[in-house]
Amino acid sequence: MLDVTVIEDPEAAAVSLDPVRAGLLAELAAGPASAAMLAGKVGLPRQKVNYHLKALERHGLVELAGERRKGNVTERLMRATAASYVISPLALASVQPDPDRFRDQLSARWLLALGARLVSDVGSLITGAAKARKRLATYALDGEVRFASAADRAAFVQELTAGVNALIRKYGAPDAEGGRDHRIVVAVHPTVKDRTGTAPELDSPQESQ
């Protein structure tokens, strides 16, 4: 089972968003189970659960983990193909965000568009690497910092921008034969402390959104 996988196919995305099927995915991420075992957990008839499992299996969201005999019946034990799933913007390709349409480094919506492209690009790279059975070279840095004031945050962003640009100038080799282009995304945003509905502290409405 993969830790996380990206759903790019629109039909697979639609299947995963069905509340009943999403519930079955959550159960199967915890461990293999048969339709009969799941029926009691989700409160549906076994035949109905089996119908939903076939739809999930058809789109590669669950897979056969094994079989077992129970009386005169052979039960199929299914498992989720990943512990968690991310729906790629490619599933809505005609309306997916395009960060190249506008560039505003102070816009939260532009940051969201960059994040969407990151999911789309890395999802496609993971798919390609898996098919080629090759490792994918990536790197990510995640951390938190508390600023004493908006002025300190602005100064931090200015120094961060200068530092990254200096590294790009130092190591970038646009004319190198056999070189490979890499995308760099650096983001700064307020930390979301509570995902139960409490909004984080925000700045004044004059700032770009």
Side-chain angles (χ1 to χ4, degrees):
M1 178 190 294
L2 299 172
D3 179 53
V4 61
T5 193
V6 179
I7 299 173
E8 298 177 333
D9 179 66
E11 292 185 7
V15 166
S16 70
L17 289 172
D18 177 90
V20 172
R21 292 167 183 172
L24 292 173
L25 278 177
E27 292 289 345
L28 293 174
S34 67
M37 294 165 63
L38 291 167
K41 294 182 178 181
V42 300
L44 290 173
R46 180 185 59 81
Q47 294 87 347
K48 195 73 172 177
V49 171
N50 201 42
Y51 166 78
H52 289 302
L53 288 177
K54 286 182 178 178
L56 291 168
E57 185 179 15
R58 193 160 52 246
H59 292 285
L61 301 175
V62 302
E63 63 186 4
L64 183 66
E67 295 180 335
R68 71 174 185 179
R69 292 284 297 178
K70 191 173 182 181
N72 295 325
V73 178
T74 299
E75 289 188 331
R76 301 176 81 231
L77 297 174
M78 307 302 294
R79 65 184 173 196
T81 54
S84 56
Y85 300 85
V86 175
I87 296 178
S88 169
L90 288 176
L92 290 170
S94 60
V95 291
Q96 66 176 313
D98 181 6
D100 292 329
R101 242 186 320 236
F102 64 95
R103 299 181 68 86
D104 181 355
Q105 291 178 305
L106 299 179
S107 168
R109 287 178 173 80
W110 189 59
L111 174 57
L112 187 62
L114 285 174
R117 183 174 65 186
L118 180 65
V119 171
S120 176
D121 287 354
V122 176
S124 296
L125 289 168
I126 288 173
T127 300
K131 288 180 179 178
R133 296 186 178 182
K134 292 184 177 180
R135 292 191 62 184
L136 181 60
T138 63
Y139 169 79
L141 176 65
D142 179 40
E144 292 186 21
V145 57
R146 175 172 292 215
F147 298 111
S149 65
D152 283 353
R153 183 185 62 196
F156 173 87
V157 169
Q158 187 175 14
E159 288 190 38
L160 179 64
T161 302
V164 171
N165 284 335
L167 287 172
I168 291 173
R169 289 192 298 271
K170 180 178 180 180
Y171 292 101
D175 300 324
E177 289 188 18
R180 182 168 184 179
D181 293 335
H182 286 69
R183 186 176 298 283
I184 301 168
V185 178
V186 180
V188 177
H189 63 81
T191 302
V192 179
K193 291 293 186 182
D194 186 355
R195 295 191 180 275
T196 61
T198 303
E201 183 179 348
L202 301 176
D203 293 316
S204 62
Q206 283 82 13
E207 290 210 15
S208 245
Q209 293 184 349

